[in-house]
C-alpha cells in the first residue's frame, strides 16, 4: 500500500489509515470525515455493507488484493451511491496497478479489472493471464484465470491454484460463489473442495446469510456437477492476515 501513500502525499491529500480490522472505527471515520476515496479489500466492504453505512462524499472506491464480485459491487453502490467502484488488479512482483481506463472513455464494467495499459503486453494462455512490462524480457505467469470481452476489458476469475477436479469435471469455486451470492438472503459464500465417503473432492459451500440451505441448489441455474453437495452456515467467514478470505483455514476446518 506504500504507493497509495506516495500518490496521496504528492496530491496533498489527507490520509486516514486503519490500525487494525475494526469495522466500527472504519465506519465512524468514513461517516465523520469528508472521505472522498476508499482503498481496501473486499472483506472490509462485506462488513461495511452489513452495517448499512451511507455516504455521498465518497466518489472513488478502489477494491484490491482479491476479487470483488458483482453482488458485492452492487451493495457497495447502495452505500456509496455517488462512487465509481474500480476492481483493481496488481501483482507484487510487477506493480500495484496493471490495468486502467479505456482510451475511448468507455466505462469499466462491474467486475472488470480494467483495460490494458499502454506499452504493456498481455496474453491469456490456457485461461491464465501472462503479462510483460517494458522492463521485463519475458512474460510473467500470474497464475490467475482471466477472460477478455469484446471491448478489451479484462476479468479475473480467481486463482488457478483454487481450481479442483470433481468426478473428472473442472470446478472453479469463484464461478459457483458468484451464482450462490445472487440468491436472496445470501451475504457471502465460499466454495471449497471437501472429501466425502468416496474420498473424492466435492464442492462444499460455507456461507453467511439467512437462507434455507435445502432450497439453494433448486435455485441455482448451473450444471448439477457444480452444485455444492453440502452447505454450512456460519456467522462470519475467516480472513487471513492480508484481509483475504481464509480458504486454507476453511479447508482445514470443513474439508
Amino acid at each position: 500500500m506504500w504507493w497509495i501513500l506516495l500518490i496521496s502525499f504528492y496530491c496533498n491529500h489527507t490520509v486516514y489509515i486503519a490500525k487494525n480490522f475494526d469495522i466500527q472505527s472504519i465506519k465512524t471515520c468514513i461517516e465523520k470525515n469528508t472521505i472522498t476515496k476508499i482503498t481496501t479489500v473486499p472483506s472490509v466492504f462485506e462488513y461495511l455493507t452489513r452495517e448499512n453505512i451511507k455516504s455521498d462524499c465518497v466518489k472513488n472506491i478502489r477494491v484490491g488484493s482479491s476479487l470483488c464480485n458483482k453482488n458485492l459491487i452492487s451493495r457497495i453502490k447502495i452505500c456509496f451511491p455517488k462512487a465509481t467502484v474500480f476492481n483493481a488488479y496488481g501483482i507484487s512482483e510487477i506493480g500495484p496497478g496493471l490495468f486502467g481506463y479505456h482510451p475511448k472513455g468507455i466505462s469499466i464494467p462491474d467486475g472488470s479489472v480494467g483495460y490494458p495499459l499502454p506499452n504493456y503486453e498481455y496474453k491469456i494462455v490456457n485461461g491464465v493471464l501472462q503479462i510483460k512490462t517494458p522492463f521485463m524480457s519475458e512474460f510473467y505467469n500470474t497464475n490467475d484465470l482471466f477472460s477478455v470481452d469484446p471491448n478489451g476489458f479484462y476479468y479475473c476469475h480467481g486463482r488457478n491454484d483454487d481450481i479442483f477436479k470433481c468426478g473428472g469435471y473442472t470446478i472453479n469455486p469463484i464461478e459457483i460463489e458468484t451464482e450462490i451470492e445472487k440468491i436472496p438472503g445470501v451475504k457471502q459464500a465460499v466454495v471449497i473442495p471437501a472429501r466425502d465417503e468416496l474420498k473424492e473432492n466435492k464442492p462444499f459451500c460455507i456461507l453467511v446469510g439467512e437462507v434455507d440451505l435445502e432450497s439453494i441448489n433448486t435455485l441455482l441455474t448451473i450444471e448439477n456437477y457444480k452444485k455444492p453437495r453440502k452447505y454450512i452456515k456460519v456467522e462470519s467467514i475467516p480472513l487471513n492476515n492480508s484481509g483475504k478470505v481464509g480458504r486454507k483455514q476453511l479447508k482445514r476446518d470443513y474439508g
Side-chain angles (χ1 to χ4, degrees), residues 22 42 49 52 64 76 78 90 109 116 118 138 168 197 202 205 229:
D22 182 348
T49 53
N52 296 317
I76 292 173
I78 293 174
E138 298 180 352
E197 62 275 7
K202 299 287 182 69
C205 178
R229 310 303 192 266

Side-chain angles (χ1 to χ4, degrees), residues 63 67-70 73 85-89 99-100 107-116 146-149 152-156:
V63 189
L67 288 176
C68 185
N69 59 51
K70 291 183 179 180
I73 290 175
V85 182
F86 183 73
N87 206 4
Y89 178 84
F99 292 89
S107 297
I108 299 175
D110 288 348
S112 171
V113 299
Y115 192 83
F146 266 78
S147 65
V148 58
D149 71 12
F153 288 107
Y154 279 67
Y155 298 78
C156 182

Side-chain angles (χ1 to χ4, degrees), residues 173-188:
I174 301 296
E175 176 189 355
I176 304 172
E177 293 164 8
T178 299
E179 294 302 314
I180 294 174
E181 290 178 350
K182 292 179 182 178
I183 297 175
V186 177
K187 295 180 178 178
Q188 188 177 9

Side-chain angles (χ1 to χ4, degrees), residues 53-65:
I53 186 173
K54 198 80 171 182
S55 174
D56 290 333
C57 296
V58 179
K59 300 297 189 296
N60 185 286
I61 290 176
R62 187 182 190 279
V63 189
S65 185

